[in-house]
Amino acid sequence: MELREIDGRIGAIRQKLDQVFREAGEEMDLMKVSVLDGADSAARAKEVCALNDELEALYREREQRMKLGEIRDGVRQILPYRMPGDDQAADLVSGRSGGWGMVRVGKLFVESQAYKGYRGGGAGPSAELDVDLKALFQTSAGWPPDVIRTGRVVEFATRPIQVLDLIPVATTTQNAVAYLEETTFTNAAAETAEGGAYPEAALALTEKTSPVRKIAVFLPVTDEQLEDVQGVQDYVEQRLTFMLRQRLDGQVLVGSGTAPNLTGILNTAGIQTQAKGTDPAPDAIYKAIVKVRVTGRAQPNAVVIHPNDWQEIRLLRTADGVYIWGNPSESGVERIWGLPVVQSDALTEGTALVGDFANFCRLYNRRGIEVQVSNSHADYFAAGKQAIRADVRVAFVVERPAAFCSVTGI
């Protein structure tokens, strides 16, 4: 069947099936259908299935015909083409003609003794092709091999998210987080004799606030880039989101508190400090742990330290050369004094932080990360560009500063 005959038959079957289901109605009563011949419903159902099978077969044949047509058109674009039976074409295909009317170089080559010998596993005999080439046919100036990109993007080497997972997260609907801190606690409870005066206790609360701050970023992208590269918008949004979280990861540690910065733990008034002095670094860290427990009345759950400073601790050895933190053939335990070590290069080298991150600091989300795309920036509409912007609004609260202690000079 020719392609137009296939199309005609497909149209006829589709019309017939459409009539079948219209006449059968919602109850699918095939006995009401006038275009079916079966004596009962089972026979008529078989007719419908046969029509559907024929339709699928016709679609497959049509698809094959279309594909062959595409291949034919592609071949015609690459080389001059002559229909089978043309005398000159037959001469050239067989290698009998020296003319240039239709140069089927590829066929001459693959049918040559040289190529057949090479395919057999050896160098093969040499053979001459009866064509005249002006330039060397090589990868750089000939038919380059296809190279398909894997789709993997190797991300830029940058600081990962290191501290955010330590910090509890809550939500707020205000533009600042207000809370009460108990600033006076006088426990006068004492044993009292019968009829004696009760000791007087004292409590005082002070309101504290932490403003919601916005962290934002945007990236210009052309319309063509968004349209032509599958997945580019998802990639850009993912990287912008990472940028926000990376910045926030640093702000909760070292944010200056000067608007629009958050106030990070190390710049919060009231946190404790332990100088290393002449102590070994592990000793200074333990003293900071004790300060958090005794003065801060908290239970430290992590030690944040710069990777270079942790390297010095990890490589500590005894006088006879035994590694204190484990044999070099083993991965070693990233713990010190029972607390997990979190390595963060957002910290300034030489300073570590011990604290009860689980109970006495909190990150409040006013609005989660939002990503928007618009061409309403500057001349972007006329230039065919899009601005992809992302931002997040958060507040960070250190509820008990004394529950944290920095270790300096390590």
Side-chain angles (χ1 to χ4, degrees):
M1 296 174 66
E2 294 184 1
L3 188 59
R4 61 176 176 272
E5 294 175 322
I6 294 174
D7 288 340
R9 181 58 181 158
I10 288 175
I13 294 176
R14 289 178 62 183
Q15 270 190 335
K16 187 171 183 178
L17 287 174
D18 179 62
Q19 184 176 351
V20 166
F21 291 113
R22 278 190 291 104
E23 293 181 358
E26 292 294 331
E27 299 82 10
M28 293 295 292
D29 185 357
L30 295 181
M31 297 306 296
K32 295 180 180 179
V33 179
S34 60
V35 293
L36 296 178
D37 301 324
D40 53 30
S41 294
R44 294 191 171 202
K46 286 183 180 179
E47 287 184 53
V48 174
C49 292
L51 286 170
N52 186 63
D53 292 342
E54 183 182 357
L55 187 62
E56 290 183 356
L58 288 168
Y59 274 126
R60 287 194 296 271
E61 184 174 354
R62 188 182 191 282
E63 185 177 354
Q64 290 173 353
R65 294 289 186 91
M66 295 297 292
K67 187 64 177 177
L68 289 172
E70 292 175 5
I71 295 172
R72 177 198 62 200
D73 294 341
V75 171
R76 286 179 175 177
Q77 291 176 5
I78 295 171
L79 291 173
Y81 186 85
R82 293 179 184 272
M83 295 300 292
D86 185 279
D87 293 337
Q88 187 179 14
D91 288 343
L92 285 166
V93 170
S94 63
R96 295 192 296 271
S97 170
W100 193 259
M102 187 195 84
V103 182
R104 301 297 294 274
V105 180
K107 188 167 183 64
L108 291 174
F109 171 65
V110 297
E111 291 185 352
S112 70
Q113 292 299 316
Y115 179 74
K116 291 177 179 177
Y118 168 74
R119 293 290 292 173
S126 62
E128 292 185 3
L129 304 182
D130 192 14
V131 294
D132 181 21
L133 294 178
K134 296 293 186 181
L136 176 63
F137 192 75
Q138 57 184 351
T139 302
S140 60
W143 189 286
D146 287 338
V147 179
I148 300 175
R149 195 168 60 227
T150 63
R152 172 174 167 77
V153 177
V154 180
E155 296 173 348
F156 186 81
T158 187
R159 183 174 64 84
I161 310 303
Q162 297 164 317
V163 181
L164 285 181
D165 289 342
L166 292 174
I167 300 172
V169 178
T171 59
T172 180
T173 59
Q174 308 296 317
N175 66 352
V177 174
Y179 61 99
L180 293 174
E181 180 182 346
E182 190 177 69
T183 50
T184 298
F185 176 85
T186 303
N187 183 1
E191 298 71 24
T192 305
E194 182 179 357
Y198 282 43
E200 181 180 348
L203 294 173
L205 303 176
T206 302
E207 184 178 277
K208 298 291 183 74
T209 61
S210 179
V212 170
R213 303 295 194 192
K214 179 168 67 177
I215 300 176
V217 67
F218 96 96
L219 184 73
V221 184
T222 64
D223 292 342
E224 290 80 2
Q225 182 74 90
L226 288 176
E227 292 170 0
D228 296 344
V229 180
Q230 184 178 9
V232 70
Q233 183 166 341
D234 291 339
Y235 162 71
V236 169
E237 290 179 0
Q238 185 273 330
R239 295 306 281 164
L240 290 179
T241 299
F242 172 80
M243 291 176 187
L244 296 179
R245 297 187 72 240
Q246 184 189 58
R247 180 64 181 178
L248 180 57
D249 189 71
Q251 283 276 291
V252 297
L253 282 180
V254 296
S256 66
T258 302
N261 290 271
L262 297 171
T263 301
I265 297 173
L266 287 172
N267 289 311
T268 298
I271 72 165
Q272 304 186 76
T273 301
Q274 174 65 46
K276 176 181 177 295
T278 58
D279 290 332
D283 290 21
I285 291 173
Y286 189 79
K287 289 180 178 180
I289 292 172
V290 172
K291 282 188 173 182
V292 169
R293 286 174 175 160
V294 174
T295 305
R297 298 299 182 184
Q299 290 298 321
N301 66 328
V303 176
V304 182
I305 190 169
H306 193 283
N308 290 341
D309 295 329
W310 177 246
Q311 173 183 270
E312 297 299 318
I313 296 174
R314 182 66 179 84
L315 297 180
L316 285 175
R317 290 180 287 179
T318 62
D320 53 353
V322 176
Y323 286 94
I324 296 173
W325 255 257
N327 194 293
S329 64
E330 301 172 355
S331 61
V333 179
E334 292 200 351
R335 300 182 73 85
I336 186 167
W337 303 116
L339 300 182
V341 171
V342 177
Q343 299 183 55
S344 172
D345 49 352
L347 282 175
T348 302
E349 191 173 345
T351 299
L353 178 64
V354 176
D356 188 343
F357 296 87
N359 296 304
F360 295 109
C361 66
R362 197 169 301 273
L363 186 67
Y364 287 86
N365 279 334
R366 173 63 178 85
R367 175 174 48 73
I369 293 175
E370 183 176 84
V371 179
Q372 298 183 27
V373 182
S374 174
N375 60 10
S376 61
H377 174 68
D379 64 343
Y380 278 23
F381 177 79
K385 298 179 185 178
Q386 299 287 338
I388 302 181
R389 80 175 199 183
D391 61 34
V392 62
R393 296 184 67 205
V394 297
F396 181 62
V397 175
V398 179
E399 296 167 337
R400 183 183 293 175
F404 299 87
C405 183
S406 64
V407 184
T408 60
I410 60 175

